[in-house]
Amino acid sequence: MKYSAWLALGSVCLAPLAGCANSGMGSDDAAPPGAESGSNDNSASAGKSSSIGGPSASGGSGNLTIGTGATGTAAPEGEEAPSDASSAGASADPTAPPQVLPTNPFVITEHDPLSTFAADVDTASYDIFTSSVASGSLPPAATVRLEEFVNYFHYDYAPPAADAEHPFSISLAAAPALDPSTLLFRVGIRGRLPAVEKRAANLVFLVDTSGSMAAANKLPLVQYTLTQALTALDPTDKISIVSYAGSTEVRLSPTPVLESATIEAAIAGLTSSGGTNGSSGIRLAYDQARSAFLEGGINHVLLCTDGDFNLGITSNDELVKLIAEERESGITLTALGYGSLPNDAMMERVSNAGNGTYSVIYSQAAADTYVKDRLLSSLDYIAKDLKLQVEFNPAKVYAYRLLGYEDRDIADNDFRNDVVDAGEVGAGHRVTALYQLVLAGGAIPTASTGPAPQDGAPYSGPAEVGAEDYALVKIRYKTPDAGTTDPAFEVSQTLGAQGVADSWSDLDEDFQWAYAVASFAEILKGSPYATPSALNTIGNIVGQPFHTTIEERKQFQTSFTKAKTLLR
C-alpha cells in the first residue's frame, strides 16, 4: 500500500493533524479533524465507489487528508443512548439554555465493534450557520450538528437502478491517511430518483401568527414560502392553513392548488398578534389533515414557527409524545424554522417525532431553494425508520470514531428491533456518514484535551463481519406505508482490503468536500477534535476549481470566508 497522501495547494500540506504535528510542520500545515474510509470488497478498483442497487460510481482525482486533534467524549461506561432517535439531544424544558452535545469519542473495537445510528437528512444546523454568518455572527455551538452540515450538500453517489430490489444504493469509499495505521471511511446512501408522477399531496401549513412572528424574516417570509410552494405542487393537490396565536383558527380548509387565488388570499390574510398556543394548533392541523386524508398519498403537516411556544404544552417531551402518536395515523410533520435563531431543540425533536425533516428558512433565496430542492423530496419518502449499523473487525480496526450523529444514536441491540423509530429518507436524498479508523497495531491520536477512548470488557456478542474485512455496513429500513410492528428489510455491504485506495489522488472531489465541511463543523462546535489553525487548509480544499462550478458549494465558500474572519 502506498501512502502518498500529500497535495500541495499553494504552500499548504494536506496531511493528517497527527502526522503533521509529529513532523515538525507549521500549525496550519495540519489538515482539519475528521476521517474517512469505506469501500466494497467487490470493488473493481481501489478507491472507486461501489454501489448496491446502482452502477459503480467512478472515483475522480482529489487530495484531501483530514486529521485529528484529540479524543472525544463518551456516555458513562455501560450506557447507551436512547433507543428512540427522536428523544435524544434536547432538554425537556424549552426555556432551558441549549446544551452542546458531547462529541463522539474513539471507541476500542474489541470492546464495542458496533456503531448504530439513525439516518438524518435535516439541514437546519447548516441553515442556522448560513443565516448567522450573513448577519455577522457565528452560530451557537449547541446548534452545530456535523452530519447536517455534511448532508446539506448533494453528492454524486450513483442512484439505484430502476429495477433495484432496494430503494437506495450504498456507496463506500476509503483512503489511508498519512499515518499508515489510520483509515478515513465514508458511507454514502442515495435514494431512488423521484417518480415521474409524484403521489397526490394533502398538506396542512400550521402557521405561528403570534406577536413574536412580526419581524420581516418571520411571518412575511412564511407567507412568501407558502406562495412559492404552490408552484411546486400539482393542481389537484390540496392545501389547508391553520394559524395559532393564543387561539387557533382554520384560515383555509382543504383546497385544491388549482384554486390558487383563494389560497393566496388566505396567505395574505395572516397577521401576527397575541401569545402562542402551539399544542392546540397542532391538534387542529391534524384534524384538517384527517378530513382530507389521501390513502396512498402524502399527508403532511408543515409547522412554520420561530419555535416560541409560550402557552399550552411547554414541555418538549409532551410535544414529542403528541406528535409521535399522530404519526402512527399516517400523517407526518416537518418543522420549518423562521427568524435569526429558532427554538432549535424543540424544532428538531418534533420533526424527528413526526417522521419529518427540519429546515430553517432565513431569506427569500433560502425559501426558493427549499421549495425547489427539498420540499417534495422531504414529503415523498421512499424508506422510513432507516438505521445504519457498522460492524468493525477488531483484528483489522483497533478503534473508530463516528463524526456527528450524536443525537441520532441507537442502542446496538435495537438495530433489529423494528418497533424503534429511526430516520426517513426521501426520493433522491443522500445520506453520508464519516468515520475515522485506527488500524490494528496503530495508536489513537492524542491531544491535550478530551477524555479517554471508550473501552471496557471485551465484546462477547455474535460477529457478522468477515475475518478478512475491515467493516460490514448494515442498513435496515421499512417501506413508507409499513406499520410500527411490520418487519423491516435489511441490506449490507463490506469493506475489504482491496477496497482501500492507495492514496488520496484515487478519491473523488465529493470525498474531499465532505471531510472539509465536517472538519469546519467541528471547529464551529468547539469539538475536542477540532483544529482551528487548519482553517487555511479547509479554505484551500473547498476553493478547488471543481467546487466553484456548483452553486451550493459557491455559497458555502462565501459563508466560510465570512466565518473565518469571525473565528480569528
Side-chain angles (χ1 to χ4, degrees):
M1 213 179 260
K2 298 179 294 183
Y3 297 104
S4 52
W6 296 80
L7 170 67
L9 289 178
S11 60
V12 177
C13 156
L14 301 187
L17 177 61
C20 284
N22 295 331
S23 303
M25 299 178 182
S27 62
D28 200 67
D29 292 334
E36 178 165 345
S37 132
S39 167
N40 185 323
D41 59 0
N42 295 318
S43 298
S45 60
K48 307 302 184 187
S49 297
S50 59
S51 304
I52 289 178
S56 295
S58 60
S61 63
N63 303 271
L64 169 64
T65 319
I66 306 296
T68 57
T71 56
T73 58
E77 182 62 37
E79 295 185 13
E80 295 202 61
S83 295
D84 187 338
S86 71
S87 65
S91 168
D93 178 8
T95 65
Q99 301 296 311
V100 179
L101 286 170
T103 300
N104 286 331
F106 274 102
V107 179
I108 304 301
T109 309
E110 186 175 333
H111 165 59
D112 182 5
L114 302 174
S115 172
T116 310
F117 59 97
D120 187 0
V121 294
D122 290 350
T123 63
S125 181
Y126 180 80
D127 297 332
I128 291 171
F129 156 69
T130 306
S131 174
S132 298
V133 170
S135 63
S137 62
L138 293 172
T143 69
V144 177
R145 293 178 289 277
L146 182 151
E147 69 277 6
E148 294 185 25
F149 274 63
V150 172
N151 285 326
Y152 177 86
F153 299 96
H154 294 81
Y155 303 105
D156 195 25
Y157 305 141
D163 59 351
E165 178 183 0
H166 301 284
F168 52 83
S169 60
I170 304 173
S171 299
L172 306 178
L178 181 62
D179 178 351
S181 67
T182 303
L183 283 180
L184 306 179
F185 178 32
R186 178 186 70 189
V187 179
I189 298 173
R190 173 77 180 272
R192 64 161 170 74
L193 299 178
V196 175
E197 293 186 8
K198 74 168 185 63
R199 293 185 295 156
N202 164 36
L203 307 183
V204 181
F205 289 93
L206 174 58
V207 181
D208 180 354
T209 54
S210 63
S212 67
M213 291 288 289
N217 64 344
K218 294 186 179 182
L219 183 57
L221 192 53
V222 172
Q223 293 170 302
Y224 178 80
T225 306
L226 268 60
T227 301
Q228 294 303 109
L230 299 180
T231 65
L233 299 171
D234 294 334
T236 55
D237 290 337
K238 290 186 177 180
I239 297 292
S240 306
I241 300 175
V242 174
S243 66
Y244 64 98
S247 62
T248 63
E249 181 180 351
V250 177
R251 300 299 188 104
L252 181 74
S253 58
T255 302
V257 171
L258 182 63
E259 299 178 22
S260 59
T262 300
I263 298 173
E264 290 171 359
I267 294 171
L270 297 170
T271 58
S272 61
S273 64
T276 310
N277 190 339
S279 60
S280 60
I282 286 176
R283 289 190 176 98
L284 188 56
Y286 280 115
D287 289 342
Q288 292 301 300
R290 277 189 289 271
S291 72
F293 191 87
L294 296 171
E295 291 290 345
I298 298 169
N299 299 280
H300 203 78
V301 174
L302 294 100
L303 171 63
C304 304
T305 180
D306 59 5
D308 183 11
F309 282 61
N310 54 39
L311 295 175
I313 296 178
T314 56
S315 163
N316 278 359
D317 287 341
E318 292 180 41
L319 281 171
V320 166
K321 181 180 178 182
L322 169 68
I323 294 169
E325 290 172 351
E326 293 286 358
R327 79 181 178 219
E328 298 305 321
S329 69
I331 303 171
T332 48
L333 180 142
T334 277
L336 299 180
Y338 290 83
S340 58
L341 191 61
N343 185 334
D344 186 60
M346 186 278 286
M347 300 287 280
E348 185 185 24
R349 289 194 64 194
V350 298
S351 62
N352 288 345
N355 279 3
T357 58
Y358 166 35
S359 297
V360 173
I361 297 178
Y362 52 89
S363 66
Q364 288 191 355
D368 291 337
T369 298
Y370 175 78
V371 169
K372 176 184 175 184
D373 296 339
R374 304 186 187 277
L375 173 63
L376 294 181
S377 64
S378 298
L379 302 177
D380 188 13
Y381 300 130
I382 60 171
K384 72 177 185 179
D385 292 341
L386 192 148
K387 312 170 197 171
L388 297 89
Q389 183 171 85
V390 181
E391 180 181 345
F392 294 102
N393 182 356
K396 299 287 187 179
V397 178
Y398 169 62
Y400 63 87
R401 179 171 80 95
L402 172 63
L403 307 188
Y405 292 93
E406 284 87 357
D407 66 351
R408 305 295 283 171
D409 193 15
I410 291 177
D412 294 333
N413 58 7
D414 277 334
F415 176 65
R416 294 190 173 106
N417 180 352
D418 295 336
V419 176
V420 172
D421 183 50
E424 282 62 51
V425 175
H429 275 168
R430 286 91 162 166
V431 179
T432 298
L434 313 174
Y435 283 90
Q436 180 172 16
L437 311 182
V438 178
L439 297 184
I444 296 174
T446 59
S448 59
T449 62
Q454 186 174 327
D455 197 1
Y459 175 74
S460 59
E464 298 177 26
V465 63
E468 299 302 319
D469 294 326
Y470 287 85
L472 173 65
V473 177
K474 296 169 278 189
I475 297 177
R476 199 165 178 85
Y477 70 96
K478 292 183 180 181
T479 58
D481 58 351
T484 302
T485 59
D486 289 338
F489 296 90
E490 185 171 329
V491 60
S492 63
Q493 189 165 339
T494 58
L495 169 66
Q498 65 269 43
V500 179
D502 286 342
S503 71
W504 282 105
S505 61
D506 295 320
L507 297 175
D508 58 77
E509 292 87 350
D510 283 348
F511 184 104
Q512 301 176 29
W513 180 270
Y515 280 91
V517 170
S519 301
F520 178 61
E522 294 215 287
I523 293 173
L524 289 176
K525 180 182 176 180
S527 162
Y529 296 90
T531 310
S533 60
L535 285 169
N536 287 342
T537 300
I538 297 173
N540 278 282
I541 295 167
V542 302
Q544 293 182 61
F546 172 84
H547 303 305
T548 62
T549 64
I550 303 172
E551 185 60 31
E552 63 185 13
R553 299 189 185 188
K554 288 173 61 178
Q555 293 172 355
F556 174 81
Q557 292 163 358
T558 299
S559 296
F560 171 81
T561 300
K562 294 178 180 178
K564 186 177 176 182
T565 63
L566 297 170
L567 285 163
R568 293 290 187 183

